[in-house]
Amino acid sequence: MEFKNYRKNLFELETLKKILERMDKLTPASQRLWGKMTVDKMLVHCTRALQAAMGITKPNRSWLSYTIGPLFKSIYTNEKPFSKNTPTDANFVVADAQNFEQGKANLKKLLTKFNEGGPKNVTKNAHPFFGKLTPAQWSRGQYKHIDHHFGQFGV
């Protein structure tokens, strides 16, 4: 199993630039290497997760997230890649086809806003599964999440 540098986070300008470069390689024809999401849905999915990290939305928490979620918090920020085909939290499922270009533009804009706002722009709300996170944990986890999905589409 390959281990990537998940010490990276979205507050770092260089990390943001590399993520945006990778995003520019995505096209409406990009095919997934695993999972069920299409590229248009993936962009919106990542946007929804970032909106939660910024407190733009406040996803619901299940009873399971209160009981076992905090026990698994290190999964979100450690250096092990997320497993392929990990179930998607219901809060972030995108059911219908989306406009690819709009999804890409929205995610770029939000990533830039997250980076520029830094830790003060991160929510105090709990993660919908892992519970309370620090701004650094949110930033590292969001990087890891986006890296996972970009890898899903080969970029």
Side-chain angles (χ1 to χ4, degrees):
M1 177 179 285
E2 178 185 336
F3 290 90
K4 296 185 178 184
N5 180 2
Y6 287 121
R7 296 286 177 223
K8 292 181 181 180
N9 69 75
L10 294 177
F11 296 145
E12 299 166 347
L13 185 56
E14 196 57 37
T15 298
L16 173 67
K17 287 178 183 179
K18 287 181 181 175
I19 285 288
L20 295 177
E21 287 171 9
R22 289 171 66 190
M23 190 184 315
D24 284 338
K25 295 177 183 174
L26 292 168
T27 71
S30 295
Q31 295 295 307
R32 63 185 174 256
L33 302 176
W34 72 82
K36 298 177 184 176
M37 281 187 209
T38 56
V39 68
D40 57 312
K41 291 179 184 181
M42 178 273 292
L43 292 168
V44 174
H45 165 78
C46 289
T47 298
R48 288 181 182 176
L50 201 52
Q51 288 171 330
M54 296 173 72
I56 296 168
T57 60
K58 187 176 180 187
N60 296 322
R61 291 188 70 191
S62 70
W63 66 270
L64 193 61
S65 75
Y66 286 99
T67 56
I68 68 166
L71 300 174
F72 293 95
K73 190 183 295 189
S74 69
I75 290 171
Y76 194 61
T77 58
N78 67 22
E79 293 193 32
K80 292 176 82 175
F82 289 143
S83 299
K84 295 176 181 176
N85 299 313
T86 301
T88 301
D89 185 296
N91 290 292
F92 307 122
V93 170
V94 180
D96 299 325
Q98 302 292 309
N99 180 297
F100 173 83
E101 294 301 334
Q102 187 64 53
K104 193 172 177 179
N106 289 344
L107 183 55
K108 279 185 178 185
K109 182 178 176 182
L110 203 58
L111 281 163
T112 301
K113 185 175 178 180
F114 186 88
N115 172 269
E116 291 173 351
K120 70 180 182 337
N121 214 24
V122 176
T123 188
K124 303 254 188 279
N125 299 332
H127 184 280
F129 183 73
F130 299 113
K132 185 96 172 121
L133 298 172
T134 66
Q137 289 172 320
W138 273 111
S139 183
R140 190 173 299 133
Q142 286 296 308
Y143 167 78
K144 185 174 171 178
H145 180 244
I146 289 169
D147 178 70
H148 168 78
H149 283 295
F150 284 10
Q152 181 183 15
F153 288 89
V155 299

